[in-house]
Amino acid sequence: MDHVTQERATTEPLTQHVQRISGRVRAFDRRHPLAWDLHLTGFWVLAALIDYSGGGWLNVARDRDNPGWLVLTLSLGLSVPLLLRRTHPRAVLLAIAPFALVNAWTGTALQAVLLQLLVVFHIALRRPPRNLWWATALITAPVAVMAARHPQGTPDKDIVPVLMSIAVAVAVGITVRTRRDHTEALEDRARRLEIERDQQAQLAAAAERARIAREMHDIIGHNLSVITGLADGGQYAAAKSPERATQALHAIATTSRQALAELRRLLDVLRDEEHPRGPHPELAPQPTLTDLTQLIEGVRAAGLPLHTTTHGTPDLPPGRQLTVYRVIQEALTNTLKHAGPGTTAHIELSYEEKGAVTATVTDTGNGGPSQPTGGRGLPGMRERTALYGGTLEAGPRPHPEQGWRVHLHLPEETPQ
């Protein structure tokens, strides 16, 4: 194990160094493709000219009596077109073909003809595979001409090595192309995953904001409505019954403290999410159906006569209990705010099997719709109901009855 660790420590820095250099070269190539092409083409042109001026071509020539101008022309014709090998590989191969044919016909046999393999590599890298067939034929034809006009042993000794060289160039081009396509696919997938992650984060943030707004609306809206009702009742009773006014003030103080405590808990939870290492916030369970009694007493203390009717025995999970509680709370809050004086309200609860429940809140208000447009109350109730596939109806009671009706139904629980 220690030997493997030591070997990794020795090889990884070299690998990373090579990858870093390769990445820099590719980055430079992407930014300055023409500069890279000019350097590489200049290198091959210089090599061809050195082969011409130094007489190295005479070592492999089939005919050494060819004039110098012809050798120079062939050297440039076989190397200069490489400048466009990446953008127009097929055109470059066609441009080189006449020089390769003359090179074979005259028996000059310049080694620069092998530069066609670079073009074949780029055709395999950037063009459809069907282009390789005619490219192979275009390169092999001059070789066959040379084998026929200037034989040097059997023809297969000239043709087979060229075909093998073409096969190697094609294999390298396809390998690089496959690796490049795979890398691009991975990068595209990473980009799409990053975009999807950002979208999911935005959706989660929006859902969290909606949840927070819903909870704050339920907490603050209801308690303020109760406080308003108590204050109105206390003001009315102040002149006739100071004791009733004192009771109203006491109830206002109690309700205010409860609202502040609930709001503080909610804000502490949010602050704890932002600072996970901070002090643990004071938590409290969400309201359940057992808290309906306190809710009803608070509404009655605010001056709204309220009657309840219950059918069946409640046996609901906490999430459904919270939904029923919040819907009833919002309906009563709207009655306190908008129903007008002399209003009475009625709550009817019906518990069925497998978690199904129906809740109906009606009032006899004459102050217009209990749910004003543009508020968060009704959308919040609908969002809570939709979580359990339920239905919510809110609107005026049918004629000739007067007032407002909120009807909630949560269906049976679906087995997971």
Side-chain angles (χ1 to χ4, degrees), residues 229-249 252:
L230 290 169
D232 291 340
Q235 183 180 8
Y236 176 78
K240 298 182 179 180
S241 178
E243 294 181 358
R244 293 285 301 276
T246 302
Q247 294 175 358
L249 291 175
I252 289 173

Side-chain angles (χ1 to χ4, degrees), residues 158-172:
D158 290 321
I159 297 176
V160 171
V162 172
L163 292 177
M164 293 180 63
S165 300
I166 293 174
V168 171
V170 170
V172 174

Side-chain angles (χ1 to χ4, degrees), residues 101-334:
L101 185 60
V102 173
N103 179 63
W105 185 271
T106 60
T108 309
L110 293 176
Q111 295 298 304
V113 76
L114 296 176
L115 294 176
Q116 294 178 104
L117 297 176
L118 284 175
V119 186
V120 172
F121 165 78
H122 285 285
I123 290 177
L125 181 63
R126 292 181 168 84
R127 294 294 181 264
R130 62 177 180 271
N131 290 279
L132 296 172
W133 294 107
W134 65 262
T136 301
L138 199 62
I139 295 175
T140 308
V143 179
V145 170
M146 181 177 291
R149 281 185 55 84
H150 307 280
Q152 210 175 49
T154 58
D156 61 295
K157 290 185 178 180
D158 290 321
I159 297 176
V160 171
V162 172
L163 292 177
M164 293 180 63
S165 300
I166 293 174
V168 171
V170 170
V172 174
I174 292 176
T175 301
V176 174
R177 181 175 188 164
T178 302
R179 179 180 176 85
R180 183 194 63 186
D181 293 344
H182 179 65
T183 303
E184 290 178 353
L186 291 178
E187 291 175 351
D188 180 67
R189 182 184 179 188
R191 284 193 298 269
R192 288 188 284 108
L193 288 176
E194 186 176 358
I195 293 173
E196 183 179 355
R197 182 196 62 189
D198 293 341
Q199 291 176 344
Q200 291 294 335
Q202 292 174 3
L203 291 175
E208 187 65 13
R209 285 195 298 268
R211 183 185 68 84
I212 294 170
R214 189 168 58 240
E215 292 295 331
M216 294 189 69
H217 173 274
D218 291 340
I219 293 172
I220 298 176
H222 173 74
N223 286 287
L224 286 180
S225 297
V226 172
I227 291 172
T228 302
L230 290 169
D232 291 340
Q235 183 180 8
Y236 176 78
K240 298 182 179 180
S241 178
E243 294 181 358
R244 293 285 301 276
T246 302
Q247 294 175 358
L249 291 175
H250 178 73
I252 289 173
T254 302
T255 305
S256 300
R257 281 192 291 269
Q258 292 175 351
L260 286 174
E262 293 184 28
L263 183 59
R264 187 178 296 111
R265 290 191 188 99
L266 179 59
L267 295 178
D268 285 344
V269 170
L270 296 178
R271 189 159 46 246
D272 184 67
E273 291 176 355
E274 295 175 357
H275 306 284
R277 296 184 179 181
H280 191 71
E282 180 185 356
L283 302 179
Q286 291 278 32
T288 62
L289 294 177
T290 56
D291 297 306
L292 278 178
T293 302
Q294 183 179 357
L295 174 68
I296 291 171
E297 290 177 354
V299 171
R300 287 172 177 165
L304 175 64
L306 178 60
H307 306 280
T308 60
T309 303
T310 303
H311 305 282
T313 303
D315 185 16
L316 304 176
R320 289 180 171 241
Q321 293 191 41
L322 177 62
T323 297
V324 175
Y325 178 92
R326 291 302 191 195
V327 169
I328 293 176
Q329 181 188 50
E330 179 61 25
L332 294 177
T333 300
N334 291 330

